[in-house]
């Protein structure tokens, strides 16, 4: 029987070759894909998120783990779809209009994927109407915006207003270095997170609310 703890360990260490090998073996041995996801990938990424939150590891290690997860996920995803496994929810994410910073946003997206969300990433410099159009067409439950410049923070409020005016039933989350809880409250966002690990916690709370 394949060792899913070993898979979680490989994710934590960012050992891509080992993670891919264990995932492939587990699938060959007919281990249910949901079990591989929960006990291997998500379990590993949970530890990564916790260690990142506690400042025990830093961005490079998280990126290694996230890339490892992505490689294993490429094998697992078609099997999850075949098995009809539903994601925790659909999360649309992007960096707001005028802003080209995406390192933090990518990190948040990877951690959300690691936690079991389906993530639709719109990239950078995303205008409000694109957020609205995709939120509607993809039927998402959560929309996340990232901004790294004080000059692009107002684009968050514009996007939020556009989403509300479009009458979409979505929870809206904001984040990025200059963004604060006070700013999130001021513009009426449903959630704010200071880092990628917290973003997962907040997203899980919002989807459960
Ligand atoms: Co830019 N830049 N930059 N830059 N850049 C900053 C942000 C800056 C603080 C540097 C400085 O002056 N000290 C400054 C902003 C000042 C301000 O507005 N107060 C700045 C500036 C001024 C600029 C330009 C205007 C420079 C110029 O051209 N004159 C220009 C703007 C371009 C544009 O966007 N239109 C510019 C350009 C660039 C590069 C392209 C060169 C590059 C970006 C490359 C890329 O992203 N692909 C860049 C970089 C790398 C930086 C710094 C050095 C690093 C940013 C970063 O990636 N941090 C930055 C200075 C710094 O922070 N030390 C700086 C690491 C990342 C993991 O953190 O993005 O905060 P962060 O994400 C965190 C959290 O914030 C949170 O989780 C993440 C992980 O824990 N989070 C969320 C992020 N999004 C979230 C969303 C959520 C929840 C949490 O929910 C949805």
């Amino acid at each position: 029987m394949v060792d899913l703890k070993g898979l979680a360990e490989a994710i934590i260490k960012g050992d891509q070759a080992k993670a891919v090998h264990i995932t492939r073996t587990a699938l060959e041995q007919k281990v249910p894909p949901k079990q591989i996801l929960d006990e291997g990938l998500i379990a590993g990424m949970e530890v990564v998120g916790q260690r990142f939150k506690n400042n025990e590891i830093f961005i490079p290690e998280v990126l290694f783990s996230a890339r490892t997860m992505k490689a294993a996920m490429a094998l697992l995803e078609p099997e999850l779809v075949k098995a009809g496994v539903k994601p925790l929810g659909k999360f649309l994410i992007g960096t707001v209009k005028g802003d080209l910073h995406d390192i933090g946003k990518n990190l948040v997206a990877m951690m959300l994927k690691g936690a079991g969300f389906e993530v639709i990433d719109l990239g950078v410099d995303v205008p409000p109407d694109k957020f609205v159009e995709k939120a509607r067409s993809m039927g998402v439950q959560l929309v996340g915006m990232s901004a790294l410049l004080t000059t692009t923070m107002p684009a968050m409020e514009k996007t939020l207003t556009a989403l509300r005016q479009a009458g979409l039933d979505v929870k809206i989350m904001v984040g990025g270095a200059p963004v604060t809880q006070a700013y999130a409250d001021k513009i009426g966002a449903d959630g704010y997170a200071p880092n990628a690990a917290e973003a997962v916690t907040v997203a899980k709370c919002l989807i459960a609310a």
Side-chain angles (χ1 to χ4, degrees):
M1 187 67 181
V2 75
D3 176 21
L4 293 178
K5 280 202 182 109
L7 177 55
E9 224 20 76
I11 297 290
I12 296 164
K13 288 189 182 140
D15 186 339
Q16 199 163 312
K18 193 170 174 192
V20 166
H21 173 73
I22 300 177
T23 304
R24 188 171 286 130
T25 311
L27 287 171
E28 282 164 5
Q29 291 182 2
K30 305 280 180 238
V31 177
K34 178 82 166 73
Q35 191 180 346
I36 304 174
L37 180 71
D38 288 344
E39 294 175 25
L41 306 195
I42 293 181
M45 281 309 277
E46 261 171 17
V47 174
V48 172
Q50 205 54 48
R51 290 186 185 169
F52 181 57
K53 213 184 263 183
N54 296 340
N55 291 321
E56 290 164 24
I57 58 168
F58 300 97
I59 290 164
E61 288 101 317
V62 179
L63 287 175
F64 274 128
S65 294
R67 278 181 202 143
T68 303
M69 187 204 71
K70 204 172 163 190
M73 202 58 193
L75 293 176
L76 202 55
E77 216 157 19
E79 302 306 319
L80 287 166
V81 173
K82 268 192 231 162
V85 174
K86 293 220 162 34
L88 278 185
K90 286 190 192 176
F91 196 113
L92 183 70
I93 193 166
T95 302
V96 294
K97 187 166 169 53
D99 202 317
L100 302 176
H101 296 84
D102 68 356
I103 298 167
K105 185 263 299 164
N106 292 346
L107 214 49
V108 172
M110 287 192 249
M111 293 296 283
L112 287 166
K113 277 187 199 166
F117 283 90
E118 178 183 339
V119 178
I120 301 130
D121 188 346
L122 295 177
V124 297
D125 192 18
V126 183
D129 55 347
K130 181 110 183 260
F131 273 105
V132 171
E133 178 202 317
K134 278 287 174 186
R136 184 180 285 125
S137 66
M138 300 299 295
V140 304
Q141 292 86 39
L142 292 159
V143 176
M145 291 180 259
S146 183
L148 261 287
L149 300 170
T150 44
T151 50
T152 56
M153 283 166 68
M156 287 183 150
E157 189 169 11
K158 282 194 188 122
T159 307
L160 191 142
T161 305
L163 286 161
R164 299 277 193 241
Q165 280 176 352
L168 294 169
D169 182 20
V170 290
K171 294 275 171 32
I172 300 169
M173 257 178 82
V174 292
V179 181
T180 59
Q181 181 67 60
Y183 182 73
D185 292 343
K186 180 174 160 267
I187 65 172
D190 300 298
Y192 157 78
N195 57 52
E198 288 286 338
V200 171
T201 309
V202 173
K204 281 183 175 170
C205 284
L206 289 176
I207 201 108

